Structure formats: C-alpha cells, structure tokens
Amino acid sequence: MNQYLAITSRGLENLLAEELEQLGAQNIQVVSAGVRFKAEQATAYRCCLWTRISSRIIQVLSEFNVRDDMDLYLGAAAINWPSYFGSDTRIIVDFNGTNREIRNSQYGAMKVKDAIVDKFTKADLRRPNIDRERPDLRIHMRLSGEKGVLGLDMAGSGLHQRGYRSEAGKAPLRETHAAALVMKSGWTEDKPLLDPMCGSGTLLIEAAMMAAQIAPGLKRKKWGFESIKDFDKEGWLEIHAEATVKARRGVSNVTTKFFGREMDRRVLTIARDNAGRAGVKDLIDFEYGDATQLICPEGFSHGVVLCNPPYGERLGTTPELISLYGDFGNRLKLAFAGSTASIFSSSNELLSCLRMRADKQFKLRNGALDCVLKTYWITAGGVKHVEGEKEGVVEETQVAPDFANRLKKNITKLDKWAKKEGISCYRIYDADLPDYNAAIDKYNDFLIIQEYAAPKSIPEETARRRVMDILRATIQVTGVDNSKVILKVRERQKGKSQYQKLSSAERHMIVNEYGVDLKVNLYDYLDTGLFLDHRITRRKLGVMAQGKDFLNLFAYTGSATCHAACGGAKSTTTVDMSNTYLRWAQENMELNGQVGSQHQFVQADCLQWLQEVDDTFDLIFIDPPTFSNSKRMTQSFDVQRDHIMLMENLKRMLRPNGQIVFSNNKRHFKMDIEKLNELGLKANNISDTTLPMDFGRNKQIHNCWIITHKED
C-alpha cells in the first residue's frame, strides 16, 4: 500500500475522511486542510474518480525536515525520480507553503525542480521537460513550518474540475464546495431539492450527480497517474468502465425532483448547458424566477431549499442585499413551512435578515472569506394571515428599536419643517445615539446613510452589525425602496479628499432649495455636490447679493453662486481648481436660467489666483478646506494657520462697504481678531444663525463670519 494525502479546504477535513473511508481508504488521519490515508493502487484510482470533496490527491513519496534551501534540495534529490517517470514525461512542480528560510514558493519550486533534473542527469538520463502549460505529471511539494511532504499529483489538475462547467455566473462556487454544502444541508435522495438562486446550477448539478451515482471524475480526459511508471492500465479501465455503467443506469433510476430558479436568463441558459454536459439535464427543472417572489413548485413537499445567495464584499451593495435576504426569508416562511432551508453566506448579519433561527451551522472558507452554512427548520411562526389574501404577510419585528424610535420622531418633525421651508434635501438623523453613529440625509425620495468610522475600541463585528441594524431599521421605518438607499463610510477627511471619486455611475438628480434647483450626484463621490449644513448661508448670500458683483472662492459645484445669481447679483465669478466642479457649477447655473457673460467661471488654484488678480467685488464668499496639500496647489494650506493670509488678499479685492462671508468646517476654529484688526478688518461671528434646524445637534459642523472694512 502507498501513502496518500488528499487535500481539501479547511473545514471539510472530517467530511472528506468519511468519504474516503467509504471508498476503501485505510489508516485515515485528519490533518490541517487534508486527510492522510493508505490504499492499494486500485483504491487510490477509485478515490480519484469518486471523491467529491478533495481538490487533489497526492501519492506521498517522501517526508523530510526543511530548515533551509539545502535541506529542500537534498530531500528532493533523495527520491529515485527515474523510477517513477521517464525522460519523455513533461512535468511541473507545484510548491505550497513557506517558512523562515524558504520565503518564496517560486524559489522553493525551483530547488525541487533542480533536484529532480539533477537526479536524471547524474544517472546519464535525458532530463525531463518542464512544461507549465501542458504537463503530463505534477510534482507536489507541501511545506508547513519545517515539515515537508513531496509527492505526485494523481489527478494532474484540480479535482473540482468536473468537465461540465464551461462558464459560471458572477460568483462561482467550486464544485467541491458545492458538493460539501449539499452533503451538509441535510438533503437526502428521498427529498426534493430547490435552489432559488441557482446561478450556473452547480449545487443542483452536484446533488443530481450524487443521486444518479455519476462519478465526479468520469468526464476527465487525462489523469496524472497515467504518466507514472507503475500505472495499471487494465485495472484503471475496469474501474472507469464500472463507473460508466453505474452512471448510465443511475440516471434512469433517479426519482428525486430538483428545481432551479434564477433571475438572470443568460446565466439560466449556462446552468442548463452545464447540466447537459454533466448528464443530468433531464433531472433538473430550471425556470426563470425571483427568490423574493418564490413559489413552492409542484412536487416539492417537505424538501430542502439550498442556496448560495450573494453576500457582497462592498458595503454599497448592502441595502439591496438586506432587502433580498429579508424578502427571501418572508417567502420561505410563507410558502415552505415544513421544509428545511440551508443558506450559505459570509455574512451573519445578512443571514439575520432572514429572521429565522438556525438549527445547525457548518463553517467553511470560500476562497479568502470565512463563510457559514446555516440550516433552518421552516415553520409558519411569525406569519400573519390577512383576510382576503391567500398567503398572508410576514409580521416583521422592529430592528434596533431605540434607533428606529428616534428616527421616527425626527422624521415626523423634520418632514413638516422641510415642506414649510421649501427644501427637498435635509438631514433626518445625525449620530443622535452613540451606538448608532451615522448621518442620514434625504434627497427627494432617496436616502444616503453615511457611517462614521467606528473607534478602534469597537470590535469590527460589532460595528458591522450596528451598520446593518441602521440600514434595516431605516428601510423599515421609512418604507423607502432599498434601491434608493445609498451607504457610504465617512472618515475624518483632509483637504479635498472628500471630493475623491468612488465610482463612475454618473447618476444625477435635481433637488430644490428655497426655489433654487441644484444638481446632485448621490453615488460617485463621498459628498453629493451640496453641503446641506450651508443651506442658510446660501440663502443669506442670495439676499445679500442683489445688485452686487459676487465672488465665490473654493466654489465646489457653485451652489452659492446659484443662490447669489437667483437673488439678483449683477455679476458672479466662480473659482475652483477642478474643471469637473466648474462644469457642474455651470450646469447648476443653467438649470436656473443664469447664463451670460456676466457669469464667469475660472479654473485656478484659489490661493495663487488671489495673489495675482486685481479685480474687486462687493460680496465675497469663501469656504476653504480645513487643510490641503494637493499636488496641483503651489503650497499647502491650513485654515487656522493661513486665514489671515487669506484676509490680506481679500481685503485688497473688497470694495468699500463690501462684505466677506467666510466659512470653514474646522472644529474649534479661532479667528485671530487682533491680526484682523491690524489689517483694518472686523469680524462678526454668525455661526449660530447659519446652523439649520436639521443640524442642531452638531454645533461644530461649521463656523461662519461676516468680515467688513473696519471703518464701515
């Protein structure tokens, strides 16, 4: 008997050990991400052909200590390689693992390759060819600490490659993982199986192959062990023929019903094609269907629902996923009472949106993600039947009740206030409760939830759960469609980093503020193009600007310019370093019918422009960044350090009786009154009067000053 190592994913070792025992393996020993066993040659062939869980089976040739590259070379060189394969065999070395001395897997593979080649040349044999693209045989080296295992890959390529899947959906699940999930779901061949989000059909195909007794390796054209010198061709052909007959008979004997539903018609076609290549197309009922509108198919009674729904790594997809999981959970409870559901996901938070209590769970890594398969016994509990409706609706418990109650109160007060004020975008929640540290802004019928980065003292899992609670509760309380909820993470920003692009969706909408139309973009940037806390300041500028020449510095998207122009400004000059925002400002002006040569747009570094321009103005609005060291600026800028330098230049441009409205967002900003007086300027702090009601809890969000000549 030879020694073998069957490799699998962490978490599947015990399942693989059970499978190998059933296939006749002996002396089975579970190790990390694998199973050691002994077997006769015929049993090893049978394990390769029939394993559904293992990704590779290695015939172990040697085990040795590896402290450095010399140990590695000598350990590999001690094997009599010519006794296993000939010079005509095309080989490749796969090297997995590192240690203190062998820090690079490519270097490790090279040392093993050198030892193999030297073994041939020292025996006066022609060296075998190294072929990365089409090797006949793969040499496998596994290094864990100072322990090395070296052997021959019996399959030659990953055993998950069954040969039926030519194309997968967006998030393909490996065939070996799919088989494991089927086995751990509680499904047995006497139960119908439904995958309501079947994608390319892998879960159903693997289950159908089990029911039909189709060996997973049956369609493989080439095996690594065929290139090993002791290959028993007759024995292998007999094993393969036996499996072929079993598969042919098995398909015709299957009575189990399999159902697949998928919303993407293109992917559904792929699933059907995959099932056809696997030989189980006639066993699976594939149909177009939405999991959130799932109907129990005819012939499905007390069966198993098994699926791998999307669980998204990007937070931006979370609102839609919350709704998907919530609606899917509702459908399960409404239409599948008495059945079981096994749901595979990397997000416990999303699984909680099903609003069902798991009876069992099975942890498994999917690539780099820690995932879990949770199995639920579906009962009708929580289902409230409504008179006149056949199926009823699910009565939903309130998520995060403290947060939800505060949000309800805020909305009741602020919606009436906003309608009276004549504004369509405003803040409805601003970190009112410490545990729910986010801001929620309403833009027409859309909501933006901005999560403030949690302190390091808060565990990541706790912070993530709270964000999910905020999302779920907000959707529950407001009734806003999940597609109209946008989630962003807001950290402490410096300079213009808040303007950095997040995506290129280019989705815009028009909002109204005191009769002024403004274009916003809810998706592509951290900020939307409109700072809501400056709303009263903009309205004040509209009143102050009548008949005056108006200058807007660090203008961003020009919303202040629009208010000034609509308020009757004689002329406007809008200055910003970004062409993107200047074009946006022009579009905002055009929305309000403010066009003509009296409205100028200047692309420039504002600090440099201030030092070079001799124009004068009646009203100047300046809202500089707190700090900036942009490469496009000739110097760094700190509003606390440099605000007097700004005023020196602005004084020169300010006409007699003119006014500067100076605003910034630096917390605890201190105006240097003494130096301002030395310049011949005086300042009036109007911060309290420019703070909107919806920002009442955040007194430090901005400060605002009116600055005039001292003699005025």
Side-chain angles (χ1 to χ4, degrees):
M1 285 198 292
N2 292 323
Q3 178 77 45
Y4 296 92
L5 170 65
I7 297 172
T8 190
S9 298
R10 285 185 174 84
L12 295 183
E13 298 95 339
N14 290 325
L15 198 62
L16 175 57
E18 293 173 11
E19 180 187 60
L20 291 171
E21 185 177 19
Q22 292 173 4
L23 292 170
Q26 298 179 34
N27 298 104
I28 293 171
Q29 178 188 359
V30 171
V31 297
S32 176
V35 175
R36 304 285 297 266
F37 66 97
K38 288 185 177 181
E40 299 290 351
Q41 190 178 58
T43 301
Y45 292 165
R46 190 170 285 106
C47 288
C48 288
L49 182 64
W50 281 96
T51 180
R52 301 183 190 277
I53 308 298
S54 181
S55 57
R56 293 186 186 276
I57 293 181
I58 308 301
Q59 180 182 341
V60 178
L61 302 184
S62 180
E63 299 179 65
F64 49 92
N65 290 329
V66 181
R67 290 178 292 272
D68 53 29
D69 55 358
M70 183 56 70
D71 283 346
L72 179 60
Y73 177 86
L74 293 174
I79 298 172
N80 185 14
W81 295 104
S83 68
Y84 291 101
F85 56 88
S87 299
D88 293 333
T89 305
R90 296 170 299 184
I91 65 168
I92 188 68
V93 177
D94 292 331
F95 194 100
N96 291 290
T98 58
N99 64 17
R100 290 183 180 180
E101 296 298 324
I102 312 296
R103 299 184 180 183
N104 184 287
S105 59
Q106 288 183 336
Y107 178 70
M110 182 188 71
K111 298 302 289 185
V112 174
K113 181 264 296 180
D114 289 346
I116 295 171
V117 169
D118 289 349
K119 196 71 174 180
F120 276 82
T121 56
K122 287 177 182 178
D124 293 326
L125 297 171
R126 183 164 49 86
R127 57 178 285 170
N129 290 322
I130 307 299
D131 191 330
R132 296 180 181 277
E133 300 300 323
R134 295 180 302 158
D136 299 313
L137 186 62
R138 305 186 84 92
I139 315 299
H140 184 89
M141 177 72 197
R142 199 183 204 201
L143 181 62
S144 178
E146 294 186 353
K147 300 293 183 182
V149 177
L150 185 55
L152 306 174
D153 189 329
M154 296 287 283
S157 60
L159 286 166
H160 69 280
Q161 298 172 6
R162 317 287 208 220
Y164 64 74
R165 192 163 75 175
S166 63
E167 188 179 357
K170 291 181 180 178
L173 187 68
R174 272 197 170 190
E175 293 87 336
T176 46
H177 279 62
L181 295 179
V182 170
M183 292 177 184
K184 297 299 290 186
S185 68
W187 172 79
T188 52
E189 294 172 22
D190 60 335
K191 299 176 183 177
L193 182 66
L194 165 66
D195 185 347
M197 300 176 231
C198 69
S200 56
T202 310
L203 285 166
L204 291 168
I205 292 169
E206 289 295 319
M209 289 175 68
M210 292 178 196
Q213 293 187 293
I214 298 174
L218 195 59
K219 291 188 175 295
R220 182 180 287 268
K221 302 298 183 185
K222 187 178 179 181
W223 295 85
F225 54 69
E226 293 174 314
S227 296
I228 302 175
K229 283 187 174 181
D230 69 350
F231 172 53
D232 179 5
K233 186 174 182 180
E234 289 186 6
W236 165 244
L237 289 176
E238 184 179 338
I239 292 169
H240 194 275
E242 179 188 339
T244 302
V245 172
K246 188 175 282 189
R248 191 182 302 122
R249 292 175 179 171
V251 170
S252 60
N253 292 332
V254 173
T255 58
T256 310
K257 295 182 180 294
F258 298 94
F259 304 91
R261 302 292 181 262
E262 172 57 46
M263 283 191 67
D264 187 328
R265 294 186 186 276
R266 184 190 70 84
V267 175
L268 195 61
T269 299
I270 292 170
R272 291 193 179 103
D273 291 343
N274 288 344
R277 282 185 289 271
V280 295
K281 184 176 182 179
D282 294 336
L283 303 182
I284 306 173
D285 173 23
F286 284 113
E287 286 186 8
Y288 174 84
D290 182 350
T292 64
Q293 303 295 324
L294 191 62
I295 297 172
C296 186
E298 186 177 348
F300 187 97
S301 178
H302 302 290
V304 174
V305 178
L306 173 63
C307 66
N308 173 35
Y311 33 84
E313 294 183 56
R314 292 186 59 205
L315 270 178
T317 63
T318 304
E320 293 185 14
L321 291 178
I322 286 174
S323 180
L324 169 64
Y325 278 69
D327 292 345
F328 178 46
N330 288 350
R331 294 308 304 170
L332 289 176
K333 286 178 279 189
L334 286 169
F336 292 87
S339 297
T340 57
S342 286
I343 317 297
F344 185 61
S345 178
S346 71
S347 172
N348 276 304
E349 293 85 2
L350 284 172
L351 287 171
S352 70
C353 297
L354 295 169
R355 295 183 299 281
M356 297 192 297
R357 180 172 295 176
D359 297 288
K360 294 189 297 183
Q361 68 175 26
F362 172 60
K363 293 182 179 180
L364 173 66
R365 286 183 69 83
N366 186 19
L369 295 175
D370 289 319
C371 297
V372 63
L373 178 74
K374 290 196 174 184
T375 300
Y376 308 84
W377 173 253
I378 306 171
T379 66
V383 179
K384 178 181 178 182
H385 288 276
V386 179
E387 188 177 350
E389 293 188 9
K390 290 184 179 180
E391 294 182 314
V393 295
V394 175
E395 191 172 27
E396 192 170 12
T397 57
Q398 180 63 66
V399 177
D402 291 346
F403 166 78
N405 289 335
R406 177 60 63 93
L407 185 61
K408 285 177 188 176
K409 290 178 182 178
N410 288 358
I411 290 173
T412 300
K413 179 174 68 173
L414 291 169
D415 279 0
K416 293 178 182 178
W417 164 79
K419 187 175 182 180
K420 184 179 178 181
E421 286 284 296
I423 55 177
S424 66
C425 46
Y426 47 97
R427 181 154 293 185
I428 59 175
Y429 179 86
D430 196 3
D432 297 30
L433 304 176
D435 285 349
Y436 300 99
N437 193 23
I440 305 176
D441 295 329
K442 185 175 183 180
Y443 285 80
N444 295 340
D445 56 347
F446 281 71
L447 294 178
I448 293 181
I449 300 176
Q450 299 180 73
E451 174 204 3
Y452 295 117
K456 293 181 180 179
S457 58
I458 303 295
E460 185 178 346
E461 184 179 342
T462 301
R464 175 84 184 189
R465 187 181 66 250
R466 287 174 179 174
V467 174
M468 295 289 291
D469 286 348
I470 289 171
L471 281 163
R472 292 171 61 192
T474 300
I475 292 171
Q476 281 183 328
V477 168
T478 63
V480 171
D481 187 274
N482 65 82
S483 64
K484 293 184 176 181
V485 179
I486 301 112
L487 176 65
K488 300 177 182 180
V489 179
R490 178 173 288 280
E491 299 176 299
R492 191 178 295 275
Q493 304 293 320
K494 288 188 176 182
K496 294 200 172 185
S497 59
Q498 69 264 32
Y499 305 151
Q500 289 177 356
K501 204 156 193 180
L502 302 178
S503 73
S504 300
E506 294 295 338
R507 287 172 286 190
H508 301 102
M509 70 164 56
I510 307 302
V511 296
N512 190 270
E513 180 180 87
Y514 302 126
V516 176
D517 288 331
L518 297 167
K519 183 180 84 167
V520 294
N521 182 331
L522 306 187
Y523 294 90
D524 294 346
Y525 302 87
L526 185 58
D527 286 311
T528 64
L530 186 64
F531 296 126
L532 299 183
D533 61 298
H534 283 303
R535 185 188 310 116
I536 292 177
T537 306
R538 289 189 288 269
R539 181 174 64 175
K540 184 181 289 289
L541 288 168
V543 174
M544 296 168 67
Q546 186 173 14
K548 297 182 179 171
D549 293 315
F550 173 75
L551 170 64
N552 185 3
L553 291 163
F554 299 98
Y556 191 26
T557 59
S559 54
T561 305
C562 291
H563 276 271
C566 291
K570 183 167 64 175
S571 73
T572 66
T573 301
T574 303
V575 186
D576 197 272
M577 191 163 56
S578 166
N579 272 322
T580 298
Y581 291 116
L582 278 178
R583 285 194 299 271
W584 194 331
Q586 287 177 281
E587 292 170 6
N588 275 335
M589 291 285 278
E590 290 167 4
L591 276 174
N592 294 281
Q594 301 296 333
V595 294
S597 58
Q598 72 274 29
H599 301 300
Q600 298 293 312
F601 300 88
V602 180
Q603 190 270 318
D605 172 354
C606 290
L607 297 178
Q608 187 175 350
W609 187 83
L610 277 173
Q611 296 171 13
E612 297 173 352
V613 174
D614 294 325
D615 296 340
T616 59
F617 300 88
D618 301 299
L619 179 62
I620 299 172
F621 176 57
I622 181 167
D623 180 30
T626 299
F627 177 84
S628 181
N629 58 355
S630 169
K631 292 179 181 178
R632 296 170 61 188
M633 296 175 67
T634 58
Q635 55 190 310
S636 68
F637 175 80
D638 181 292
V639 71
Q640 184 63 69
R641 181 192 68 199
D642 298 325
H643 69 281
I644 293 300
M645 176 270 289
L646 279 179
M647 296 306 155
E648 288 178 9
N649 288 293
L650 291 174
K651 180 189 176 184
R652 173 175 49 82
M653 304 176 69
L654 186 65
R655 293 172 183 165
N657 301 315
Q659 295 174 296
I660 300 169
V661 178
F662 170 56
S663 179
N664 69 75
N665 292 83
K666 180 175 177 59
R667 288 180 177 272
H668 310 297
F669 171 81
K670 293 183 179 179
M671 180 72 76
D672 194 332
I673 300 296
E674 184 178 342
K675 288 187 178 178
L676 201 66
N677 286 334
E678 292 175 6
L679 289 176
L681 297 172
K682 62 180 181 180
N684 177 29
N685 190 340
I686 60 168
S687 301
D688 289 344
T689 62
T690 60
L691 186 70
M693 188 177 84
D694 48 331
F695 287 85
R697 291 191 72 257
N698 196 348
K699 304 291 186 184
Q700 297 290 327
I701 194 165
H702 74 243
N703 58 87
C704 194
W705 309 73
I706 291 181
I707 297 170
T708 58
H709 291 292
K710 205 170 182 181
E711 61 270 23
D712 293 344

